[in-house]
Amino acid sequence: MMYPTLDSLYEAIKTGSVGLSFSLPTYGGAEPANAPEIWSWDADRYMVGTCAADLSLIPRDEWAGDVKLEG
């Protein structure tokens, strides 16, 4: 995998090496549903934002958005 961690994917998006898309890799943890502002995730964090400029990594337990988990 070209971006083996959420952090490496985040950095690639922030530097413009990768564009935001709904086909980004994910890195474990329950999948959020009905949360289009969550682009990728790992077991502990969500990568959220409306565009690359305001993208951030937020701990799952601090996310204030309305997230429904699959399953």
Side-chain angles (χ1 to χ4, degrees), residues 5-30:
T5 65
L6 185 61
D7 293 297
S8 62
L9 177 62
Y10 172 79
E11 287 301 320
I13 292 170
K14 293 300 274 186
T15 61
S17 299
V18 173
L20 285 178
S21 77
F22 291 110
S23 62
L24 292 173
T26 61
Y27 302 93

Side-chain angles (χ1 to χ4, degrees), residues 8-68:
S8 62
L9 177 62
Y10 172 79
E11 287 301 320
I13 292 170
K14 293 300 274 186
T15 61
S17 299
V18 173
L20 285 178
S21 77
F22 291 110
S23 62
L24 292 173
T26 61
Y27 302 93
E31 179 179 352
N34 301 322
E37 66 276 15
I38 296 178
W39 296 94
S40 186
W41 58 88
D42 64 13
D44 301 313
R45 300 167 297 165
Y46 295 124
M47 184 168 58
V48 301
T50 59
C51 64
D54 71 3
L55 204 61
S56 60
L57 295 174
I58 304 293
R60 285 177 176 248
D61 61 355
E62 292 180 17
W63 174 243
D66 182 24
V67 174
K68 298 175 185 170

